[in-house]
Amino acid sequence: MIPRIGPKKQNTNWQKLLADANWTAEDLANRLQFPADKFQGLDRVNKHFRLRVTESFVNRMELGNINDPLLLQILPDPDEQKNLPGFHSDPVGDLTYRSQANLLHKYQGRVLLLVTGACAIHCRYCFRQNFPYESSFRQNKQWQSSFEYIRSHKGISEVILSGGDPLVLETYKLATLCEELSHIPHVKRIRIHTRLPIVLPERIDNEFLEWIHRMDTPIIMVLHCNHANELDQQVQLAIERLKSSNYLTILNQSVVLKGINDTVAAQCQLQERLFDCGILPYYLHLLDKVSGSARFHVKRDAAILLHEAMRKQLPGYLLPRLVEEQASHPYKLPVY
Ligand SMILES: *Cc1c(COP(=O)(O)O)cnc(C)c1O
Ligand code: SF4
């Protein structure tokens, strides 16, 4: 008998890659052809939010370039641990809007369901660095009470899966979750906020595609990509495969990040490249001023000038909306 290892092996491949995403400072330095001690100690800057990046994302970095826009997003900095005025652990007040431990109901008609605390990469500008997010997560038990909440609030027409990154869940779990949601009559759309198709394109495997093709509730996938270099051939192929599903819309959000994408050229290249890949821009966020993210901060006046310059160069449909998140505001606030 021929052992049936083929499909199983393929299905678990991405999980192995996910498990391998924690690097030592030395391995990362070697891999990018820097001196072995170049990043010494940086893998110990924050033990709750370690140096974490997928092999595939590292493959898109330029060897020996300390200013590489992908490297800068994931490389820890000793100053992250300093308290700086104006930077807080929960600047947009999300913790106060938790209707339940893993449900945020802040905007009319939409709820954000936090389905996992885990991510494939640790982006150093993210609010996640300030909470022991991963370890505090008790996903399965709380799903039932979240479903109850959504069922009893008939005004909710869209459920947004967020986290962490919802796509780190195994496909069967995502499928179970979405099936349950799609049975709630007033839920018309399911949205997935994810960075995985960008940072771990291997995640879009046959099993996932089969599931997404079976879904008959419209799904909006909002990706998170900050720089054109993140979109290589492998990512483009993963997106093409996703787009063969009729019920799927793919958008992108990004964050204005100093030294990474705060030039007109970098922004226009990003939007053009997204279009090549079949993705339309959605939001361009001002950085939430979370503790540890100060080195990425672009002043709002500079961000407005940047966005105005983009407006001149890009067709309207390739111009993301420049927005900021403010505590207690009922929608993402246009910056100007
Ligand atoms: C961003 C966000 C949403 C979605 O907002 P859209 O403008 O529809 O993209 C929903 N709930 C919360 C809490 C959010 O932060
Ligand atoms: S939630 Fe998104 S931005 Fe934050 S660390 Fe995870 S992948 Fe990066």
Side-chain angles (χ1 to χ4, degrees):
M1 227 172 96
I2 304 165
R4 293 177 48 190
I5 53 167
K8 190 154 184 246
K9 209 170 155 198
Q10 194 203 15
N11 288 346
T12 53
N13 180 35
W14 66 270
Q15 286 173 298
K16 161 114 179 56
L17 295 169
L18 202 58
D20 289 345
N22 289 328
W23 295 64
T24 65
E26 197 177 347
D27 283 346
L28 186 64
N30 287 334
R31 174 67 180 68
L32 293 173
Q33 296 183 5
F34 289 110
D37 61 354
K38 178 83 174 166
F39 303 143
Q40 200 167 26
L42 296 187
D43 47 2
R44 292 190 301 273
V45 164
N46 180 343
K47 73 174 169 23
H48 297 301
F49 198 68
R50 296 172 49 185
L51 168 59
R52 182 165 168 80
V53 60
T54 55
E55 175 77 35
S56 160
F57 201 69
V58 174
N59 285 342
R60 294 168 236 164
M61 295 175 187
E62 190 191 339
L63 300 178
N65 179 6
I66 193 64
N67 293 316
D68 180 274
L70 277 56
L71 175 62
L72 292 179
Q73 293 181 55
I74 57 95
L75 193 65
D77 184 303
D79 287 349
E80 282 171 15
Q81 298 302 70
K82 285 190 191 146
N83 286 323
L84 296 174
F87 289 80
H88 308 286
S89 64
D90 184 25
V92 300
D94 272 357
L95 291 180
T96 52
Y97 285 94
R98 296 267 173 111
S99 308
Q100 295 178 351
N102 57 2
L103 197 100
L104 256 105
H105 194 182
K106 184 171 169 186
Y107 297 168
Q108 197 177 330
R110 290 146 291 167
V111 282
L112 209 75
L113 190 59
L114 308 173
V115 296
T116 173
C119 292
I121 79 173
H122 284 167
C123 313
R124 308 314 298 186
Y125 51 84
C126 182
F127 67 93
R128 267 209 50 203
Q129 64 192 288
N130 294 309
F131 306 101
Y133 228 68
E134 228 151 316
S135 55
S136 73
F137 231 83
R138 308 263 174 281
Q139 46 175 344
N140 291 347
K141 273 190 202 149
Q142 283 166 356
W143 283 3
Q144 285 312 323
S145 58
S146 300
F147 295 146
E148 273 316 307
Y149 182 92
I150 297 165
R151 265 187 218 109
S152 64
H153 288 74
K154 300 226 160 22
I156 296 171
S157 55
E158 179 167 350
V159 178
I160 304 170
L161 308 186
S162 186
D165 198 312
L167 260 57
V168 304
L169 297 184
E170 293 107 307
T171 302
Y172 81 90
K173 278 196 191 156
L174 274 176
T176 313
L177 181 65
C178 289
E179 189 171 325
E180 186 98 26
L181 292 171
S182 66
H183 287 154
I184 304 175
H186 50 272
V187 173
K188 297 198 184 76
R189 293 178 296 275
I190 297 173
R191 198 194 307 184
I192 304 177
H193 281 179
T194 176
R195 199 152 164 45
L196 251 69
I198 308 289
V199 302
L200 186 71
E202 296 88 344
R203 174 66 186 91
I204 309 304
D205 61 3
N206 289 338
E207 191 191 12
F208 185 83
L209 288 164
E210 279 165 25
W211 167 63
I212 212 102
H213 282 95
R214 267 201 322 273
M215 281 291 294
D216 53 6
T217 303
I219 295 192
I220 301 102
M221 203 177 257
V222 182
L223 304 179
H224 175 174
C225 171
N226 295 312
H227 195 279
N229 293 2
E230 293 175 43
L231 298 163
D232 67 354
Q233 280 297 319
Q234 200 190 2
V235 174
Q236 186 163 5
L237 203 68
I239 305 296
E240 269 169 26
R241 297 177 83 202
L242 278 172
K243 282 189 71 90
S244 57
S245 163
N246 290 334
Y247 282 99
L248 189 68
T249 304
I250 308 183
L251 305 171
N252 182 66
Q253 56 183 340
S254 48
V255 184
V256 194
L257 299 167
K258 189 170 173 181
I260 293 171
N261 62 11
D262 60 338
T263 64
V264 182
Q267 279 296 333
C268 290
Q269 278 161 19
L270 170 61
Q271 315 309 331
E272 299 273 359
R273 182 75 189 124
L274 285 167
F275 183 79
D276 291 343
C277 295
I279 308 164
L280 286 176
Y282 183 40
Y283 282 141
L284 177 59
H285 295 264
L286 289 191
L287 184 80
D288 292 337
K289 293 175 87 178
V290 297
S291 313
S293 70
R295 66 190 183 280
F296 298 108
H297 185 242
V298 174
K299 291 206 175 80
R300 49 183 303 126
D301 289 353
I304 292 172
L305 286 177
L306 173 66
H307 195 257
E308 281 179 331
M310 289 163 66
R311 204 188 275 282
K312 285 188 197 140
Q313 292 195 23
L314 291 166
Y317 57 87
L318 289 189
L319 185 75
R321 304 157 177 83
L322 182 66
V323 292
E324 66 184 317
E325 183 87 40
Q326 278 192 4
S328 80
H329 209 80
Y331 50 85
K332 307 246 186 292
L333 206 60
V335 172
Y336 70 107

